[in-house]
Amino acid sequence: MERRTFLKSATAAGIATATTRSFAQSPAAPAHTTRPEAPGMIYRELGKTGERVSAIGMGGYHLGKSPDADASIKLIRQGIDSGITFLDNSWDYNDGLSEVRMGWALRDGYRQKVFLMTKMNGRTKDSYNKQLEQSLGRLQTDVIDLVQFHEVIRLEDPDRYFAPGGAIEAAVAARQAGKIRYIGFTGHKDPIVMLRMLETAKKHNFHFDTIQMPINVMDAHFRSFTKDVMPVALEQGIAVLAMKTFGDHFILDSKTVEPIEALHYGLTQPVSVVITGIDSPAILEQALTAARTFKPMTQTEVASLLARTREAALEGKYEPFKTTSHFDGTAHRPESLG
């Protein structure tokens, strides 16, 4: 399906052999891009990047699950036409199918309308470079706006990224080469790991542009990213990307919260984007409705909602991405770490 070669050998080799330099000397990102904004959608600043993006982000995982590729491509374009400008994806979502479909959806001028993000599993320079070239090919683009290190969920992950020959070297070189514009990381297991990633970056004089983490109505009660990680990120000027609003379907299964109020809770937090899985026109309309009807929740309303979810949330039963390996894509594909 892809018209562009996955591995551009000469360019990949250029990055792989780039000399190591001080991370602090990395060039500034290009000037921010102005994208069309639609009535009824919320737009926010993306940290200190100068970018302005939709507060609703379209999650990439579910886009590759449908057996109907044409429907997925149409759905992506419907979301963009409705004002969604932030697109989420990952190198390993559905063995690359999510990126392939998004790449086809972004043809015909749609690429210029969006802020495109994807993620890499690789912890080493070589594995990162190979995956980045594949993602560029699948997404049919020469530059990805934001590439994040995927699933920082192990205590040793920060050490691997920042070690000699680690993926951070590849990411910085890719940014220098103009293949990516911003660098971030994600995690969903334990706040301790993400805080260690931030501490390790600080020791290496490196600043992340974004950080993606679970922010939902149950997170406040169990291994809370909202309480422990988000304030640190915001203090450092890092844009917070919220995910796991519904925890797939598990949080809604608790019967303690409705979809719209769960989205409104996420939007009430000091985040740049709430990324939500969208796999049908009905779910797209749900997300758009949440944006159209959004008014920041009062402290009283937030307290009431958290009180309602507290008992169900205390042991992490409805946040299995924290307590099991079911959601750990890198655990299922350990070879992709490098």
Side-chain angles (χ1 to χ4, degrees):
M1 294 178 66
E2 302 160 59
R3 293 189 177 182
R4 155 179 183 156
T5 305
F6 273 6
L7 295 176
K8 297 179 287 184
S9 301
T11 308
I15 292 179
T17 58
T19 56
T20 303
R21 61 185 178 284
S22 170
F23 297 130
Q25 296 173 352
S26 301
H32 70 276
T33 301
T34 300
R35 301 173 188 86
E37 298 186 358
M41 179 51 65
I42 307 161
Y43 297 91
R44 295 178 176 174
E45 300 300 313
L46 187 68
K48 302 297 185 181
T49 65
E51 301 284 348
R52 184 172 166 86
V53 296
S54 60
I56 294 291
M58 180 175 280
Y61 178 77
H62 293 81
L63 297 170
K65 299 295 289 184
S66 169
D68 189 340
D70 289 338
S72 294
I73 292 168
K74 182 179 179 181
L75 188 64
I76 295 168
R77 291 190 171 187
Q78 287 177 331
I80 297 169
D81 290 338
S82 300
I84 294 176
T85 62
F86 189 99
L87 299 186
D88 158 273
N89 222 309
S90 177
W91 171 85
D92 72 351
Y93 283 169
N94 301 294
D95 294 322
L97 188 59
S98 288
E99 287 189 331
V100 169
R101 291 181 177 179
M102 189 167 283
W104 281 97
L106 293 179
R107 294 166 65 88
D108 305 321
Y110 276 85
R111 174 66 184 93
Q112 288 70 41
K113 299 178 181 180
V114 303
F115 184 93
L116 180 61
M117 178 269 280
T118 197
K119 316 177 194 81
M120 302 295 129
N121 286 8
R123 269 57 172 164
T124 67
K125 180 191 295 186
D126 289 344
S127 59
Y128 181 99
N129 283 332
K130 291 176 182 178
Q131 291 166 16
L132 177 60
E133 293 305 319
Q134 289 177 326
S135 290
L136 286 165
R138 295 167 181 167
L139 292 166
Q140 301 190 39
T141 187
D142 292 320
V143 58
I144 301 171
D145 295 302
L146 168 63
V147 175
Q148 300 193 105
F149 299 122
H150 195 203
E151 293 187 358
V152 180
I153 57 177
R154 306 164 185 83
L155 283 172
E156 69 272 17
D157 279 342
D159 303 294
R160 295 200 64 191
Y161 283 121
F162 284 92
I168 194 70
E169 293 181 9
V172 170
R175 184 172 62 184
Q176 173 72 40
K179 294 186 175 187
I180 70 176
R181 300 179 63 212
Y182 304 107
I183 301 171
F185 72 98
T186 81
H188 61 248
K189 188 65 65 181
D190 195 303
I192 292 174
V193 181
M194 299 195 86
L195 289 172
R196 189 165 188 276
M197 185 69 160
L198 291 172
E199 291 170 359
T200 304
K202 191 173 183 179
K203 289 178 181 178
H204 287 82
N205 199 25
F206 183 83
H207 175 78
F208 283 107
D209 298 301
T210 62
I211 182 171
Q212 183 171 331
M213 67 185 84
I215 294 178
N216 60 62
V217 297
M218 294 193 172
D219 173 76
H221 306 296
F222 182 78
R223 292 189 197 171
S224 180
F225 292 86
T226 309
K227 291 181 177 179
D228 296 339
V229 182
M230 184 163 63
V232 177
L234 293 174
E235 183 180 0
Q236 295 183 17
I238 302 173
V240 176
L241 310 177
M243 65 174 172
K244 309 295 187 190
T245 301
F246 306 138
D248 197 0
H249 57 84
F250 290 98
I251 290 175
L252 297 180
D253 289 347
S254 72
K255 306 299 181 183
T256 61
V257 64
E258 295 298 322
I260 295 295
E261 62 181 343
L263 287 165
H264 283 175
Y265 173 84
L267 290 168
T268 297
Q269 305 306 311
V271 304
S272 294
V273 184
V274 173
I275 299 169
T276 183
I278 296 173
D279 57 7
S280 69
I283 297 301
L284 171 60
E285 182 55 34
Q286 174 180 276
L288 297 175
T289 297
R292 285 195 302 267
T293 61
F294 175 67
K295 293 181 180 179
M297 299 174 68
T298 66
Q299 290 184 352
T300 300
E301 290 170 333
V302 170
S304 176
L305 180 56
L306 293 182
R308 195 197 315 162
T309 61
R310 183 177 183 276
E311 184 174 352
L314 285 177
E315 296 180 358
K317 175 182 177 181
Y318 296 103
E319 291 187 285
F321 46 87
K322 293 180 180 178
T323 59
T324 76
S325 63
H326 177 72
F327 288 83
D328 302 347
T330 54
H332 300 305
R333 301 183 68 177
E335 73 282 357
S336 69
L337 300 177

